[in-house]
Amino acid sequence: VHPGCVTAVFPCAREVNSVEIKKRIERLSRHADARTVFGAAHHAWRVAPPLSPEQLADFEEGRRVTLPASYRQWLLEVGSSGAGPGNGLFEPGTWSLGRKPDSKWTAKQFGPLGSPFPYSVATEPHQGPLPGAMPLCDFGCGIVGVLVTAGAERGHIWIDHRKESADGGLVPEDGLDFEGWVGAWLAEAERRVDHPEPPRPRAERTCEVLAAKSIVPEAELIALRDRTLARLRENPIAIVGR
């Protein structure tokens, strides 16, 4: 077993510098331009209290999984939910899309968490529950960041587009593990508030109105209309996709 490993079975993982991360989040929360960071309007730079070891153990025992080391450390030392990538990190076991309150995800959507994640490269739509992965955050438009909990991709972040559109699939997030993912998010947030880009001058443009069927075949437009109406009958909000 090498230093930093959870067990002899799992690969080594970098540790989260919890003290430094909390200082950086606190500094961002006081910055005048903090709300300009994507998702800050949702999480408001607030971090929920960390989980106790007993609470984390209950979650892992209930889901029959040992979570990746850097995420476990975040939950125990930084916070159980709140400020993070996207619109903020979910509390383990919960998720939400858009502005809906967080609710529990079920075995029909994700899991079992201890079963191997089935993919190693970007994939087309996945049918049924997604094994070996759990949702971490919402990026809007039905796009969800997920953490792989078992298999060759264990510890890595993937982006789940299945709710975004009927043909949405799963895409790896640049090979990042949890520690690298939140590190990249923090660095980009700091760059945005410390070195804001000057406003771009608005170019005057002439507009031309085109009939949609002059760009997209009419049959596709009719199919899109029918799919949208069918979804609206089931839910007052319909995510149509690109």
Side-chain angles (χ1 to χ4, degrees):
V1 181
H2 299 287
C5 289
V6 181
T7 70
V9 176
F10 300 142
C12 294
R14 296 173 290 171
E15 290 188 354
V16 171
N17 188 334
S18 305
V19 174
E20 181 65 22
I21 282 174
K22 287 192 284 188
K23 287 181 179 178
R24 292 167 71 183
I25 291 175
E26 174 63 23
R27 186 185 78 85
L28 284 165
S29 73
R30 298 194 304 266
H31 201 288
D33 295 324
R35 287 297 184 104
T36 64
V37 176
F38 176 82
H42 288 262
H43 58 66
W45 297 104
R46 291 190 293 267
V47 179
L51 296 181
S52 68
E54 293 76 19
Q55 288 173 316
L56 179 56
D58 286 345
F59 177 82
E60 291 183 321
E61 289 172 9
R63 303 284 181 172
R64 298 183 179 181
V65 69
T66 298
L67 296 175
S70 57
Y71 182 52
R72 294 184 90 256
Q73 187 182 357
W74 182 282
L75 294 173
L76 292 170
E77 299 179 7
V78 178
S80 59
S81 63
N87 289 320
L89 297 174
F90 303 136
E91 182 178 341
T94 70
W95 73 326
S96 67
L97 295 176
R99 296 184 178 274
K100 296 180 181 179
D102 290 0
S103 59
K104 292 184 178 180
W105 44 267
T106 70
K108 293 182 179 180
Q109 296 153 337
F110 295 93
L113 297 190
S115 296
F117 184 73
Y119 305 112
S120 58
V121 296
T123 181
E124 294 300 316
H126 173 90
Q127 300 297 322
L130 182 64
M134 60 181 282
L136 287 184
C137 73
D138 161 41
F139 287 103
C141 298
I143 303 171
V144 178
V146 301
L147 173 68
V148 178
T149 56
E153 284 290 301
R154 183 179 187 274
H156 289 123
I157 304 297
W158 281 58
I159 307 302
D160 185 351
H161 294 268
R162 292 178 297 158
K163 288 283 185 180
E164 179 190 15
S165 65
D167 57 352
L170 294 137
V171 181
E173 181 74 315
D174 298 326
L176 292 173
D177 60 10
F178 180 81
E179 194 274 343
W181 185 58
V182 294
W185 162 72
L186 267 175
E188 173 58 20
E190 290 166 336
R191 184 202 64 77
R192 180 169 291 276
V193 301
D194 292 334
H195 306 286
E197 297 179 359
R200 297 178 180 178
R202 295 183 62 180
E204 294 295 330
R205 297 180 179 177
T206 57
C207 297
E208 181 182 359
V209 177
L210 300 174
K213 63 182 181 181
S214 69
I215 304 171
V216 180
E218 188 170 1
E220 292 186 20
L221 291 173
I222 293 171
L224 174 62
R225 179 201 63 190
D226 292 343
R227 287 200 307 272
T228 303
L229 290 174
R231 292 185 185 185
L232 285 170
R233 293 188 195 102
E234 301 173 357
N235 193 309
I237 298 175
I239 298 173
V240 179
R242 291 187 178 88

